[in-house]
Amino acid sequence: MNALSQHLTRRNFNACGLASLAGVAGARFSAAMDSGPPGLHEQILASAAKQERARRECFAAVKSRSELQSLQTDLRERFLQLLGGLPERDSPVPPAKIAGQIFGEGYTIDKLTFESLPGYFVTALLYKPRNIAGKCPGVISPCGHSTEGKAAASYQMLHINLARRGYVVLTYDPVGQAERSQFWSDSLGKSRYNLTCGEHAVLGNPLYLIGDNLATYRIWDGIRALDLLAAQPEVDAERLGCVGNSGGGTLTAYIAALDPRVACAAICCYLTTLPRRMANRIEADPDADPEQDIFGFVSEGIDHAGLVALRVPKPTLIGAARHDFFPIEGTRESYAEARRLYEVAGAGERLEMVEAPEKHGLSLPLRTGIYGWFDRWLKSDDSAKMPPDEIKVLPRPARQLLVSANGQVNGDLNSRHLFEVALKRFHRRSKANPVSVRELLELNLRSAAPLVEKLVEIPEATTTLLLVNGNEAADWREATKLLDLCRERGWAAAVVDPRGVGRQRPELAVRGHDYADPLCGVEENLAYNAFLTGQSLGSMRVADVLAAVAMFRAARPRGRLVLCGRRDSALVALLAAACEPAITHLASEQLLVSLRSLFDPATPPLCAASIVPGLLSRVGDIAEVAGRIAPRPVLMAAGIGTTKFGEHVRQAAEPFSSQPGELAKWLGGA
């Protein structure tokens, strides 16, 4: 690090007179000669660890049934609030149609479609015993991540065995998988992304902007599936179960926690502790899946142990794989916490855990554990219970289990797109009172730790360019034409590396993927980890920029301070300028000019690092944010998309980093 490059430090901070600046006086910085501040990844994990300790203390303080009930009420309210609430039923039972039937040995399969919301179709299979005497227990089975969805081989084995044991089983495709692709290309004959986790990232990220989460709609599919299952004439609505693995385990945990009709649950290959999961996800399982990353889920004191706590005293089985990327140590910890709460309720025997010496997946030991658990709690007649041994079955090819004619419900039934469903619900909800950008971001300036390097030092300069680096564009240090222009005009220039950017980028990688890959990269994983702790990378990086601005303003109170950002850092710069009037000019390059455009299926995905939860619902779109900068001048160069801005915004077609003439004209004289 050269003599002009420094981390802002407490001693520099005070020497520059920053302690007198409101809101910044307590900022923590680290000297270049020191080891430097903790990296972004470590900072987020430290926040999660602190929040986890507070939650554990809260759970450990529960000593009575009344205290447990109070905890459950509080957890439920917080969970629903984080989800943005759930949709309302338009009918007691969702409209459903049978599209076909399959007859197997000892069971039948009805091919179904049902409407989770009006015009929003779900493809499903209803497994039933061939010979039914009286009412049967019913089970819903949300599917995990598989391109084949409900037709995956291990799910077929589970569902056929349950049907032959006397259960009616309703399983269905998750949105973004199997027959429910939201980005299907007829010309390619496949999704534009992928049908495991890929579509979930593209669907889930925009939902954060409107105060929703993909989990909200996934949970609602499950609740409506329960409505449909309970209405079947063969089903005893008092004996309903829910079982799922991996992503299906996620949904089982959510649905079983929120819907009291789930009398018995089996949650497999999901439950752990989120701080442990956050620590290993980048290297062990980097695929994006926003439904598992509910904003504030750790900071609000829920975590996986909270999901099981909401089940007390209902029978719940935790299925775990010892060699899973969901850390088994966390699974055991959450089980121990939840077991104590079950014992407080006098129901210790109603929570059990089965471990398979396997990798992630619905392995035979877990399936047999499920059979025994459901028989124990959902069969009222001991004579109806069977040994937990699995009957060998030959899974059918996925095409034989298609419900829609051509394999895609959006095309065959003209199902509404999830984005359309979400936007309609967003517009119906009462709007929260608008807040300032600073209020939305909840800036923590005490933790700010930018790396600042002076690139062009002009002691008497009246114009300073503060160049904010990001992870989706080249380093501003390489913008030689722009830096030459600064020298020619007598402008000072410095670069800011916010946390996790440039020379502060963590030494982490996802093999075969770019660092900022929006579906499977380091950056998106860091963003989701931050979300769990109630933060966004945008907020953290804006705090870093404001700390750098404060340093420059303390050294040079007057003159023009031009904040510049491009691609992902353009959004950071925009938000910083909306927070801080000391920034006299904003110049952005290659900024996505409308976040609302992300709800157009044709718009390319945006990395979660550039998502600020609640921005659209509580502040507005990019034009509204830019409006809060007025009357200070704004340059938007080479913007992505089109939108209408106020008169203080000048739009230019060419990027100023490589063609700085436009910037020179905009700024005029020195």
Side-chain angles (χ1 to χ4, degrees):
M1 188 176 295
N2 63 46
L4 297 179
S5 178
Q6 60 178 342
H7 272 102
L8 293 180
T9 71
R10 184 175 291 279
R11 70 190 70 155
N12 292 338
F13 176 79
N14 291 326
C16 291
L18 297 183
S20 65
L21 294 178
V24 188
R28 179 192 56 77
F29 300 120
S30 176
M33 66 190 72
D34 298 333
S35 60
L40 175 62
H41 189 37
E42 290 73 22
Q43 281 191 32
I44 296 171
L45 294 180
S47 293
K50 181 178 179 180
Q51 292 162 356
E52 182 184 41
R53 287 194 295 272
R55 182 197 58 74
R56 286 182 183 274
E57 290 174 4
C58 176
F59 281 31
V62 173
K63 306 294 184 183
S64 67
R65 294 186 182 185
S66 62
E67 290 173 343
L68 174 59
Q69 289 172 353
S70 295
L71 174 65
Q72 290 176 315
T73 299
D74 187 50
L75 287 172
R76 179 183 174 83
E77 289 176 354
R78 277 184 274 168
F79 189 8
L80 288 170
Q81 184 176 19
L82 294 180
L83 291 172
L86 293 173
E88 295 181 358
R89 286 179 174 84
D90 61 299
S91 61
V93 180
K97 292 182 180 179
I98 296 178
Q101 196 170 46
I102 295 174
F103 294 91
E105 185 179 348
Y107 66 95
T108 61
I109 304 174
D110 289 344
K111 298 181 177 183
L112 301 174
T113 58
F114 69 89
E115 295 178 59
S116 175
L117 289 162
Y120 181 60
F121 289 89
V122 180
T123 42
L125 301 174
L126 185 69
Y127 289 77
K128 296 187 290 189
R130 180 70 73 87
N131 298 312
I132 297 177
K135 295 279 190 175
C136 301
V139 175
I140 66 162
S141 179
C143 294
H145 296 107
S146 164
T147 58
E148 298 174 334
K150 63 191 178 309
S154 60
Y155 301 149
Q156 290 190 53
M157 289 186 278
L158 175 72
H159 301 148
I160 291 171
N161 270 271
L162 284 172
R164 294 186 64 172
R165 298 175 73 89
Y167 296 86
V168 176
V169 182
L170 181 62
T171 185
Y172 56 93
D173 286 325
V175 65
Q177 293 177 230
E179 296 185 70
R180 296 181 69 197
S181 171
Q182 304 296 291
F183 302 97
W184 189 262
S185 168
D186 287 331
S187 60
L188 296 175
K190 62 179 182 179
S191 169
R192 284 168 32 217
Y193 304 106
N194 66 66
L195 293 177
T196 47
C197 295
E199 286 204 10
H200 288 181
V202 189
L203 291 168
N205 286 351
L207 296 179
Y208 288 113
L209 294 168
I210 60 174
D212 264 353
N213 186 279
L214 181 60
T216 306
Y217 300 92
R218 296 286 311 278
I219 291 168
W220 190 245
D221 284 350
I223 289 174
R224 293 302 269 164
L226 275 171
D227 291 342
L228 180 60
L229 179 65
Q232 298 303 304
E234 307 91 347
V235 172
D236 181 352
E238 298 299 316
R239 292 186 289 153
L240 298 179
C242 186
V243 59
N245 180 76
S246 188
T250 307
L251 267 297
T252 296
Y254 292 166
I255 296 164
L258 292 175
D259 196 316
R261 293 175 298 175
V262 178
C264 183
I267 307 165
C268 298
C269 289
Y270 167 64
L271 291 174
T272 180
T273 61
L274 282 170
R276 286 187 180 273
R277 172 72 172 140
M278 292 161 65
N280 86 330
R281 66 186 297 170
I282 295 172
E283 295 177 341
D285 180 41
D287 284 308
D289 199 0
E291 76 223 35
Q292 295 184 345
D293 298 306
I294 298 171
F295 189 82
F297 211 64
V298 174
S299 59
E300 288 297 316
I302 303 176
D303 208 327
H304 289 182
L307 293 174
V308 186
L310 281 166
R311 289 287 302 155
V312 182
K314 296 181 183 294
T316 304
L317 177 70
I318 299 173
R322 290 180 191 150
H323 309 294
D324 204 336
F325 44 75
F326 289 99
I328 187 64
E329 298 84 359
T331 312
R332 292 165 179 161
E333 290 165 1
S334 288
Y335 169 73
E337 277 197 276
R339 178 67 183 231
R340 195 191 69 81
L341 295 177
Y342 268 82
E343 289 170 351
V344 167
E349 78 284 358
R350 295 189 178 191
L351 179 71
E352 286 192 3
M353 178 171 165
V354 57
E355 291 187 17
E358 307 283 349
K359 294 182 179 180
H360 183 83
L362 190 58
S363 60
L364 179 60
L366 298 187
R367 297 198 301 271
T368 56
I370 292 165
Y371 306 143
W373 187 252
F374 279 171
D375 273 6
R376 177 179 175 184
W377 297 106
L378 291 179
K379 288 187 175 178
S380 54
D381 184 357
D382 287 341
S383 65
K385 298 177 182 179
M386 300 169 58
D389 301 331
E390 183 172 89
I391 301 168
K392 291 185 179 180
V393 297
L394 182 64
R396 291 177 170 80
R399 65 180 179 275
Q400 291 184 14
L401 296 176
L402 291 178
V403 174
S404 54
N406 296 303
Q408 284 301 318
V409 71
N410 281 26
D412 293 337
L413 296 180
N414 197 30
S415 179
R416 295 164 65 199
H417 196 284
L418 177 60
F419 283 158
E420 178 189 348
V421 170
L423 282 176
K424 184 174 182 179
R425 179 168 174 261
F426 169 57
H427 293 312
R428 281 181 173 176
R429 282 183 291 175
S430 59
K431 302 297 187 297
N433 293 328
V435 299
S436 70
V437 174
R438 185 180 284 268
E439 287 174 309
L440 174 72
L441 296 177
E442 297 183 352
L443 298 170
N444 182 1
L445 293 165
R446 294 184 63 85
S447 67
L451 179 67
V452 180
E453 183 179 351
K454 297 176 181 178
L455 302 180
V456 178
E457 195 163 12
I458 309 290
E460 303 303 320
T462 58
T463 297
T464 300
L465 268 60
L466 197 56
L467 309 169
V468 183
N469 265 334
N471 281 316
E472 295 181 6
D475 195 310
W476 283 109
R477 296 172 179 88
E478 300 170 9
T480 54
K481 290 183 179 180
L482 178 61
L483 297 178
D484 287 344
L485 175 69
C486 290
R487 297 182 184 97
E488 176 188 319
R489 293 296 182 98
W491 299 341
V495 65
V496 179
D497 289 338
R499 281 167 287 180
V501 171
R503 294 178 182 176
Q504 296 211 84
R505 179 185 285 190
E507 294 183 1
L508 296 166
V510 176
R511 184 178 299 177
H513 295 271
D514 291 339
Y515 186 90
D517 186 325
L519 306 186
C520 190
V522 174
E523 183 84 326
E524 54 94 4
N525 275 283
L526 293 174
Y528 294 134
N529 280 353
F531 287 170
L532 288 166
T533 64
Q535 307 173 84
S536 69
L537 294 191
S539 175
M540 298 172 77
R541 289 167 179 169
V542 168
D544 291 342
V545 170
L546 295 185
V549 167
M551 182 193 77
F552 278 92
R553 271 298 178 222
R556 190 170 295 158
R558 294 182 177 82
R560 298 188 299 186
L561 184 58
V562 185
L563 192 64
C564 303
R566 53 182 169 175
R567 295 192 68 84
D568 54 326
S569 71
L571 179 61
V572 172
L574 176 80
L575 295 170
C579 290
E580 180 50 70
I583 299 165
T584 63
H585 295 66
L586 171 70
S588 75
E589 183 178 299
Q590 296 182 305
L591 174 68
L592 179 65
V593 298
S594 174
L595 294 172
R596 177 67 178 265
S597 70
L598 293 170
F599 289 88
D600 180 346
T603 302
L606 186 68
C607 181
S610 291
I611 297 292
V612 177
L615 182 59
L616 285 177
S617 58
R618 302 186 67 202
V619 174
D621 209 339
I622 298 298
E624 283 74 32
V625 177
R628 300 193 183 199
I629 300 172
R632 290 171 286 154
V634 175
L635 174 65
M636 292 212 173
I640 301 171
T642 58
T643 197
K644 185 177 181 179
F645 290 99
E647 293 182 356
H648 68 297
V649 177
R650 179 172 178 174
Q651 297 191 67
E654 301 299 328
F656 62 82
S657 58
S658 58
Q659 301 181 46
E662 183 66 37
L663 183 71
K665 285 195 298 181
W666 177 62
L667 288 175

